[in-house]
Amino acid sequence: MRPSETAAPLPPEPHDMRKVLGHFCTGIAVITGHDGQRPLGFTCQSVTSVSLEPPYVSFCPALASTSWPLIRATGRMCINILADDQEAVCAQFARAGIDKFAAVGWSPATNGAPRLHGALATIEADLEFEHGAGDHTIVIAHVTNLRAETGRPLLFYRGGYGGFAALEAESSATG
C-alpha cells in the first residue's frame, strides 16, 4: 500500500488523552466571580498567559460547568492560582452542589470577584472572547489587575496533586 492509500488513523480515546496529557504538569487555579448576591467559583487547571500587549490570559471551563455561565454573566473574574497547601480548596471548588466557599477565607478583589486568602497569585480580568472547543470553552480574558505572593504552587501531574518536592522525589525514585 502506498502512503497516499493508507487509512486515516483513529482518533485517540478520552482515557488515552487523559493518560498522555497527564504527563504535562500544570498549576491549579480557582476561577471566581460574584453576581451581586453570592460568590461563585470553580477549579480549573487550564490557565495560561496569552498576550502581554494587550494583557490576556486564557482558561477553559467545561461545558458542564454550572458556575461558569453565572460568572460569564458578570463579565469579570478573579483567577486564584493555588499554593501548594491548598489541595483541599482545589477539591472543594471542584465539587458541584455544595457551598464551595464554606470555611474558605476570601475578600473582594478590586473588581468585586472573590480573592481567595492564601492564593499564590491572583489575576483580575474581564471577559473578552469565548470560543467553543469540544466539551470545553476557551475563554480569553483581559487582565485588569494582578498580584503575586511568595510560595510554591499546587501542581497537577499524572492524576495527582503535589508540589515541587513531591515531583522531585518521584523523579528520584523512578530515575
Side-chain angles (χ1 to χ4, degrees), residues 62-123:
L63 290 179
S65 172
T66 56
S67 299
W68 171 242
L70 301 171
I71 295 171
R72 176 200 301 123
T74 73
R76 56 180 49 133
M77 67 230 47
C78 185
I79 301 166
N80 297 271
I81 309 298
L82 298 185
D84 64 354
D85 62 350
Q86 292 184 299
E87 187 175 339
V89 172
C90 172
Q92 186 163 323
F93 278 88
R95 287 195 278 275
I98 64 164
D99 177 1
K100 295 179 182 185
F101 286 85
V104 174
W106 66 276
S107 56
T110 59
N111 69 0
R115 175 183 284 136
L116 301 184
H117 297 171
L120 185 60
T122 56
I123 303 164

Side-chain angles (χ1 to χ4, degrees), residues 1 13 43 47 55 70 72 74-75 88 118 133 139-140 142 145 147 153 164 175:
M1 185 178 278
E13 295 291 327
T43 299
V47 175
L70 301 171
R72 176 200 301 123
T74 73
V139 174
I140 305 294
H142 185 258
N145 196 11
R147 73 180 204 188
F164 284 114

Side-chain angles (χ1 to χ4, degrees), residues 106-155:
W106 66 276
S107 56
T110 59
N111 69 0
R115 175 183 284 136
L116 301 184
H117 297 171
L120 185 60
T122 56
I123 303 164
E124 296 174 47
D126 294 337
L127 177 61
E128 189 79 16
F129 308 105
E130 277 190 285
H131 181 75
D135 57 4
H136 281 69
T137 299
I138 300 169
V139 174
I140 305 294
H142 185 258
V143 176
T144 57
N145 196 11
L146 42 71
R147 73 180 204 188
E149 306 295 333
T150 58
R152 292 180 177 233
L154 178 63
L155 301 176

Side-chain angles (χ1 to χ4, degrees), residues 17-26 156-159:
M17 289 283 291
R18 187 172 288 116
K19 179 180 175 185
V20 172
L21 292 172
H23 283 76
F24 181 65
C25 185
T26 65
F156 187 74
Y157 177 70
R158 290 175 46 189

